[in-house]
Amino acid sequence: MTTPVNDIRGVLIQIAGGQLLLPNAATVEVLSFAQPEPVGEDAPSWLLGQIRWRGWNVPLVSFARLAGTEPAGAPVGTKVVVLKALGGDPKLPYFAIVAQGFPRLVTVTRDAMVLDSEHQGELPEAVKVRVYYNDDVALVPDLDAAERMITQVLRPAA
């Protein structure tokens, strides 16, 4: 059985106070959460630090903090999802986000996903759109914007 052309394989990632919907092709690996190495005192709260993964220092992001969905006192997370960075920076080929459990593979169909047109003006910089996926709210991250934000923190202008 083949997947119709309009369907996309995706992953739903639970974050504190919400969930993210990403293309499956963006995810590389899921790891157990380990305390990251800090990146500096002036780092924003959403940049938790860096983790070592396959010889790379990978920035670890709390997307819940970045998107403003994290309830006060929420646990950081139990899993880390490593994502491909799309910007082409050879020094930053990956970054990771904290998840509240294992991502769930889904098939995204036109019928299952509806744009939440009421809340589009309220979105943080690193969120492309807010959608209803099977009647649940999901955020579709703007991975390019997230990558730019990470790069701005890690490589401030001279």
Side-chain angles (χ1 to χ4, degrees):
M1 188 164 120
T2 61
T3 304
V5 175
N6 293 332
D7 295 353
I8 299 170
R9 294 295 292 161
V11 288
L12 275 175
I13 301 172
Q14 280 302 130
I15 60 172
Q19 63 184 350
L20 303 177
L21 180 60
L22 292 163
N24 187 39
T27 61
V28 178
E29 191 168 341
V30 179
L31 314 166
S32 292
F33 180 81
Q35 196 62 39
E37 195 67 33
V39 293
E41 293 178 13
D42 295 336
S45 66
W46 54 262
L47 183 56
L48 302 175
Q50 292 187 346
I51 58 171
R52 293 286 297 159
W53 175 75
R54 296 188 182 190
W56 293 96
N57 284 325
V58 178
L60 180 61
V61 173
S62 168
F63 215 91
R65 290 180 185 170
L66 188 62
T69 64
E70 180 180 60
V76 174
T78 61
K79 299 294 177 194
V80 170
V81 181
V82 179
L83 303 173
K84 293 177 191 172
L86 306 174
D89 183 345
K91 295 179 182 172
L92 186 67
Y94 307 99
F95 66 95
I97 59 174
V98 178
Q100 299 296 342
F102 282 103
R104 188 169 47 118
L105 287 171
V106 294
T107 300
V108 180
T109 64
R110 287 184 187 267
D111 297 335
M113 189 170 73
V114 177
L115 183 67
D116 177 4
S117 56
E118 290 181 33
H119 297 98
Q120 295 309 316
E122 309 166 7
L123 298 175
E125 181 180 352
V127 175
K128 191 171 277 294
V129 295
R130 180 179 149 133
V131 298
Y132 290 104
Y133 177 74
N134 289 335
D135 298 326
D136 289 326
V137 173
L139 301 176
V140 177
D142 184 337
L143 297 178
D144 290 329
E147 188 178 339
R148 279 191 307 276
M149 293 169 74
I150 293 166
T151 300
Q152 287 172 359
V153 172
L154 295 179
R155 297 189 191 100

